[in-house]
């Protein structure tokens, strides 16, 4: 009688232990904000995001003989749209539905290539993000931001290590966006 109770309970605990592993990466890069531009005079811009990647996986890893796709915890287009909104607001722009200039932030590529051997792992993360600025007067500017990050280490590439590599790469792109004034210069020149 005791065996009939103990074995199913033990099996349930073993299955519960397996269920705790997740295929989701907690993407939350550091958002760098630029300094305010005192020359701005109440310019309103609109911002939206797009994800042009063919595959929504951030990485594919071999775990216990199965190819597992790791996906982001948040929709990347909304994450990057939020980052761009924070940066443009910090510069002094107002963000609204009908702006003098429309900005679209596009995720062209974001992927972590994970290679694992018997005792070592190698993670190479690449990001390719574009900002497309379109003014009401028909002028258009496209600015691309790219970053690559590589990390190697002992044993296996855990989800935490892959997440760190993705967050580092995205953080580098967001930092580049904050230090680049070309989109802001385009907006100021075409917002009339």
């Amino acid at each position: 009688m005791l065996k009939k109770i103990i074995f199913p309970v033990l099996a349930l605990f073993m299955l519960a232990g397996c269920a705790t592993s997740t295929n989701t990466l907690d993407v939350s890069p550091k958002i760098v904000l630029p300094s305010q531009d005192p020359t701005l005079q109440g310019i309103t811009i609109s911002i939206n995001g797009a994800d042009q990647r063919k595959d929504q996986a951030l990485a594919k890893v071999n775990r216990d003989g199965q190819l597992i796709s790791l996906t982001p915890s948040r929709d990347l287009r909304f994450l990057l749209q939020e980052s761009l909104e924070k940066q443009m607001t910090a510069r002094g722009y107002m963000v609204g539905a009908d702006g003098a200039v429309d900005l679209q932030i596009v995720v062209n590529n974001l992927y972590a290539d994970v290679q694992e051997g018997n005792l070592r792992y190698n993670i190479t993360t690449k990001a390719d993000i574009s900002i497309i600025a379109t003014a009401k007067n028909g002028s258009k500017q496209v600015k691309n931001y790219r970053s690559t990050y590589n990390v190697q280490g002992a044993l296996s590439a855990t989800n935490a290590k892959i997440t760190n590599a993705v967050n580092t790469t995205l953080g580098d792109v967001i930092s580049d966006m904050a230090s680049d004034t070309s989109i802001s210069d385009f907006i100021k020149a075409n917002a009339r």
Side-chain angles (χ1 to χ4, degrees):
M1 176 73 173
L2 192 59
K3 287 181 184 177
K4 289 183 181 178
I5 295 172
I6 290 180
F7 285 119
V9 169
L10 187 60
L12 188 63
F13 280 122
M14 289 174 61
L15 284 174
C18 294
T20 58
S21 68
T22 179
N23 296 338
T24 305
L25 301 180
D26 182 25
V27 178
S28 54
K30 181 180 176 194
I31 296 176
V32 177
L33 298 178
S35 56
Q36 186 169 0
D37 185 345
T39 64
L40 293 178
Q41 305 261 324
I43 299 172
T44 301
I45 58 172
S46 66
I47 299 175
N48 66 55
D51 191 345
Q52 301 290 336
R53 297 175 303 141
K54 291 178 178 58
D55 188 349
Q56 297 306 303
L58 286 178
K60 293 187 179 179
V61 293
N62 190 340
R63 301 241 165 101
D64 300 323
Q66 287 187 321
L67 190 62
I68 305 294
S69 293
L70 302 176
T71 55
S73 57
R74 290 187 61 187
D75 189 326
L76 293 177
R77 64 187 165 161
F78 292 126
L79 173 75
L80 287 165
Q81 180 180 333
E82 179 184 307
S83 300
L84 184 59
E85 283 178 8
K86 287 180 179 179
Q87 288 181 343
M88 298 314 272
T89 302
R91 287 188 198 276
Y93 292 100
M94 293 182 290
V95 178
D98 189 33
V101 176
D102 299 325
L103 298 182
Q104 182 178 44
I105 186 159
V106 181
V107 184
N108 299 312
N109 186 27
L110 179 61
Y111 190 76
D113 181 23
V114 180
Q115 305 290 324
E116 289 184 299
N118 290 339
L119 297 172
R120 298 198 53 78
Y121 68 86
N122 183 40
I123 303 170
T124 303
T125 309
K126 294 182 180 180
D128 181 0
I129 310 295
S130 298
I131 297 178
I132 303 167
T134 309
K136 296 291 186 222
N137 65 12
S139 297
K140 188 174 186 176
Q141 178 179 339
V142 178
K143 180 68 182 184
N144 293 311
Y145 301 92
R146 294 181 181 95
S147 181
T148 302
Y149 176 78
N150 179 268
V151 63
Q152 300 174 3
L155 303 176
S156 65
T158 63
N159 283 7
K161 292 172 185 171
I162 298 168
T163 299
N164 185 49
V166 169
N167 283 334
T168 300
T169 306
L170 266 182
D172 290 347
V173 167
I174 292 169
S175 178
D176 289 348
M177 288 166 37
S179 62
D180 182 22
T181 61
S182 63
I183 294 293
S184 186
D185 294 341
F186 174 83
I187 294 169
K188 287 191 283 187
N190 292 282
R192 293 162 178 65

